[in-house]
Structure formats: C-alpha cells, structure tokens
Amino acid sequence: MQQSDVVIIGGGVIGSSAAYFLASQPGFQGSITVIEKDPTYNEAATPRSAGGIRQQYSTPENILISQFGAAFIKAAGDHLAVDGEAPDLQFHENGYLFLATEAGKTVLTANQQLQRQLGAATELLDPAQLQQKFPWLNTSDLAAGSFGPVNEGWLDPYSLLQAFRRKARSLGVNYIKDEVVGLDHSGRQVTGVKLHSGATISCGMVLTCAGIQAAHIAGLAGIDLPVRPRKRYIYVFDCRDKIARVPLTIDPNGVWFRPEGANFISGVSPAEDEDPDSTDFELDYRLYEDLIWPTLANRVPAFEAIKLVRAWAGHYDYNTMDQNVIIGRAPQIDNMIIASGFSGHGLQQSPAIGRALSELVTFGSYQTLDLSRLGYDRLLNGQLIQEANVV
Ligand SMILES: Cc1cc2nc3c(=O)[nH]c(=O)nc-3n(C[C@H](O)[C@H](O)[C@H](O)COP(=O)(O)OP(=O)(O)OC[C@H]3O[C@@H](n4cnc5c(N)ncnc54)[C@H](O)[C@@H]3O)c2cc1C
C-alpha cells in the first residue's frame, strides 16, 4: 500500500492550487499526492471556463477572495515561475461592466457600495457617463452601470491550471493519473483512497477538489453535498465592425459578452427551471438564437451583423442552496476537507481557495482570509449566503 500525508482528489485548478500552496507552506513538511483521472483535462471545467475575474459580488468573502486572486495573478511570474520560466496567464485587465435598468438599480448601487467599502475600485455610472465611456453601447433602457476598472478582466484558464500544476510538481507534489473509486473509512477518519487501478493510498488527510464529481466523492464517505453539474454554453462570434475598450459586459437580463482575441465570446445562465442536472456536452443553439443574439444586437448596434463562429459547453459545479463555495471540514469526517460548489466563479477563486485549504491542513484554521462562514455548517443551520451576482 502506498502512503501520502495528504491526498488531493482532482487536479484541476482548485486541486492544483491547493497542492501548490500546501507545498509552499513553511509550516507543512508532509507528502502531497494529487489523483487526477484525466491529465488532458478534456472534460474538466477549468479549460472550458470564460476566465473572468471580478470584484463585483454581493458577498464580502467573494470580493476579498477575488482581490487576492487578482493580486496573485498579477504577480504570477514571481509565484509560479519554474527554472526561471514565468507563466504567461494572458491577464487582460479590461474590467467588468454590470448594466441595470431601473428595476435593478438599487441592488447594483448597494453592491457597489459594499465593494467600495472593501477596497474595490467599482464605479457607478449613469447612462450619460456610460455612453461617454462606451460609445458602442445602447443605453436607452439603462438606469445605471457599475464598472470595475482595476483587478477585473479575464485570463487564460488553462495556463493558470498548468502553472499551478507545474509549480506544485517542481516543489515535490506527486501527481498520479488514476480515478478515485472508493474511500476506506473507520469512524470519523478516512484511512485510505481506493483507485481504479486497484491501488489504495493510505492517507492522513483528504482534500476533495473533484469539480462536478465532488458530490459523488463526498458520497463515498456518506456526506450529502448539494452540488450538481449544470451545463453552460459559450458562443464565439465575429463582429465585422470593430469596437474598442470592451469590458466583460453583463446585460440586465444576464447575457454576457467579452472580447476573445479577434472575436467575442458570450453566454447566459438559464433560468433555474430550465437548468437540469447534466453531464453531456451537447450544444443548444436555440439559446443563442432566441435569447443571446437578440440581446447582443439590442445592446450593441454593431452586433446586429455578427457571425457565430463556434461554441462549446462545460459544467458549473453548482451549489443548489446558495451558489457559493462550500469550503472546510466535512461533516462526520474529521480528516476530509471539501472545496466545491463554485457555481461559475472557481477559476478566479482558485488562488485564495488554494491558500485557505493549505492553512486548514497545516494549522487547522484560517490564517489570512477567514472563510468560516462558507463552511458546510451553514447548509445545516440555514444561514445561507446567497450570492446575488451569479453570471
Ligand atoms: C462555461 C464556463 C464558464 C466559466 N466561467 C468562469 C469565469 O469566467 N470565471 C471563473 O472564475 N470561473 C468560471 N467558471 C467556473 C470555473 O471554471 C470552475 O469553478 C473551476 O474551473 C473549478 O475548478 P475545479 O478544479 O474545482 O474543477 P475541474 O476543473 O472540473 O477539475 C476537477 C478535476 O477533478 C478530476 N476528477 C473528478 N473526479 C475524479 C476522481 N474520482 N478521481 C480522480 N480525479 C477526478 C477531474 O478529471 C477534473 O480534472 C466557468 C465554468 C464554465 C463551465
């Protein structure tokens, strides 16, 4: 039987960030193994992400988590270089722009005030200011917009994942290509992780970072995790008329778009009653034709003549209870830590979540950013933390 002090299940951006931060913790001396069933990450959420990072949230922890994320990403060359070679994360600090009609203005204003209090640079703009700053925008039905010019934009998700992974390996983390199929447990302890190959790895601590498989893994230890796979589509389109200085823009109806190289990408989260659990990758062009394209054409006159280039699907690990991450010690099991339920914002959260997980393993408590409110207990005691700004 193999042995590892810490076993991380899932080597996506969350598992690999946790591995990197743990291996870098001066107080941690143990061995770390990451079990990843598919090192090509073909079906994982991370490479299918839109790569957005913003501070425009309604939950204080999410704002602070992304602030650390942005600072970390900007200094990635210092943190994640291996043999003097710095990763290129292609961070575009072009901002996020949330738009509101009269109906959404109060919430937008309250969120902006919270973000400012916590140090974000979010600006509240009236329609005339919006028009001046973004001349390509149709503001006729808008009451306000909030724009985050600092620490907001997008990066290349796959590059961040590979940078964490490469750095973690350079620090001695062992990556194993295999699938976790069972957990040995005795009383309140997981004692071993069983793999598809037939091997078992005995361990002191297990971190569950398995994306949409997290509920399945937690279930192997008898834990009920309210995290479900929800399919999201990204549509790539070409616009003949060139428009400049385009942030990641979110229409009042939830449709979003941003530049991607010479093209644009766009998407929308469906209404809750049209959002079944799904693990397939089948594309739905109706959503584009019926909702996304009309919204784009209305919001940006230049988008009336766009051409759909391609599309892809990926899956949110969706926390059905309050759309925020569930992080911390699992109920009933003392040596299992969960990080799941990111509901579409895990890429940007990966630096702060990886750091938080490394603190829980090393010290048994948070040392920097206190994420206790985001623990599993909130699901049991009804103190949900509903995030209003889920895109
Ligand atoms: C279309 C789309 C757009 C998004 N846009 C954004 C965005 O703009 N900004 C943002 O911050 N976030 C965004 N996200 C969310 C973000 O991509 C995820 O929150 C994040 O990638 C989650 O990382 P993860 O490591 O938890 O999951 P994953 O990347 O899915 O990694 C989990 C890994 O676990 C492995 N695994 C699972 N089960 C097992 C097992 N039994 N044994 C071994 N390995 C296993 C899988 O193979 C996988 O590689 C988006 C997601 C999608 C789908």
Side-chain angles (χ1 to χ4, degrees):
M1 190 191 288
Q2 300 173 56
Q3 197 277 334
S4 181
D5 294 311
V6 175
V7 170
I8 300 176
I9 304 174
V13 77
I14 299 297
S16 293
S17 170
Y20 155 72
F21 275 99
L22 189 54
S24 313
Q25 271 288 354
F28 180 80
Q29 303 297 335
S31 51
I32 307 166
T33 301
V34 177
I35 315 290
E36 171 52 57
K37 66 177 177 179
D38 177 16
T40 70
Y41 298 102
N42 187 36
E43 297 193 348
T46 303
R48 292 170 180 271
S49 156
I53 176 163
R54 57 179 159 112
Q55 264 92 91
Q56 296 193 57
Y57 285 100
S58 64
T59 307
E61 284 87 345
N62 286 342
I63 298 168
L64 297 169
I65 283 173
S66 282
Q67 275 173 3
F68 176 72
F72 184 88
I73 285 158
K74 284 178 175 175
D78 299 333
H79 301 305
L80 299 179
V82 176
D83 296 334
E85 201 183 308
D88 177 10
L89 303 184
Q90 297 166 49
F91 181 42
H92 297 270
E93 200 172 14
N94 286 27
Y96 261 67
L97 175 63
F98 276 83
L99 301 173
T101 57
E102 207 52 56
K105 189 177 168 183
T106 309
V107 174
L108 194 79
T109 307
N111 287 347
Q112 186 259 0
Q113 282 167 0
L114 175 69
Q115 292 149 15
R116 294 290 296 206
Q117 277 165 24
L118 293 174
T122 321
E123 301 164 354
L124 202 60
L125 305 172
D126 65 25
Q129 291 166 317
L130 282 170
Q131 193 68 83
Q132 195 187 19
K133 212 173 183 76
F134 308 108
W136 40 266
L137 193 68
N138 168 18
T139 59
S140 59
D141 57 338
L142 297 178
S146 68
F147 177 56
V150 181
N151 288 340
E152 301 204 350
W154 54 90
L155 64 144
D156 180 43
Y158 191 66
S159 299
L160 179 61
L161 161 56
Q162 288 298 342
F164 274 133
R165 183 183 157 110
R166 193 157 174 258
K167 185 70 183 186
R169 294 181 80 175
S170 77
L171 295 170
V173 173
N174 181 25
Y175 274 72
I176 295 179
K177 177 182 183 293
D178 212 327
E179 181 174 357
V180 174
V181 292
L183 297 174
D184 287 332
H185 51 106
S186 139
R188 297 179 63 92
Q189 297 283 317
V190 171
T191 53
V193 176
K194 291 184 187 166
L195 305 183
H196 183 256
S197 61
T200 297
I201 302 183
S202 73
C203 57
M205 181 79 79
V206 176
L207 305 190
T208 299
C209 303
I212 62 165
Q213 298 298 325
H216 170 68
I217 299 291
L220 297 175
I223 298 157
D224 182 18
L225 203 59
V227 174
R228 300 289 174 265
R230 295 286 169 85
K231 191 160 55 163
R232 296 291 178 270
Y233 308 99
I234 293 190
Y235 303 91
V236 185
F237 63 90
D238 175 48
C239 174
R240 213 179 25 212
D241 297 339
K242 296 301 162 214
I243 54 175
R245 289 189 61 220
V246 183
L248 196 153
T249 305
I250 301 108
D251 194 86
N253 72 2
V255 171
W256 61 266
F257 59 88
R258 71 156 172 85
E260 171 72 16
N263 292 323
F264 289 84
I265 61 173
S266 60
V268 70
S269 282
E272 184 68 32
D273 58 350
E274 291 172 20
D275 194 18
D277 295 356
S278 160
T279 52
D280 68 62
F281 291 89
E282 224 166 278
L283 292 169
D284 177 0
Y285 289 100
R286 256 180 332 129
L287 197 62
Y288 179 79
E289 280 156 23
D290 294 351
L291 178 61
I292 296 183
W293 182 76
T295 303
L296 294 172
N298 170 61
R299 188 55 57 209
V300 183
F303 285 169
E304 273 173 30
I306 58 178
K307 194 172 81 194
L308 184 62
V309 176
R310 65 191 179 95
W312 73 83
H315 300 93
Y316 279 8
D317 52 321
Y318 191 82
N319 171 355
T320 56
M321 293 186 71
D322 64 8
Q323 294 78 58
N324 269 318
V325 64
I326 302 162
I327 179 171
R329 211 164 286 277
Q332 303 132 33
I333 302 285
D334 294 334
N335 65 339
M336 183 188 240
I337 297 175
I338 296 168
S340 177
F342 290 96
S343 308
H345 35 271
L347 196 269
Q348 65 200 274
Q349 300 201 328
S350 59
I353 295 295
R355 182 181 65 169
L357 291 171
S358 77
E359 293 171 355
L360 288 179
V361 172
T362 310
F363 307 103
S365 61
Y366 296 115
Q367 305 292 300
T368 50
L369 193 52
D370 183 3
L371 301 182
S372 320
R373 284 199 325 141
L374 293 168
Y376 190 97
D377 280 356
R378 80 181 190 276
L379 310 177
L380 301 175
N381 62 25
Q383 290 182 322
L384 299 181
I385 304 173
Q386 212 81 43
E387 173 54 54
N389 280 3
V390 176
V391 175

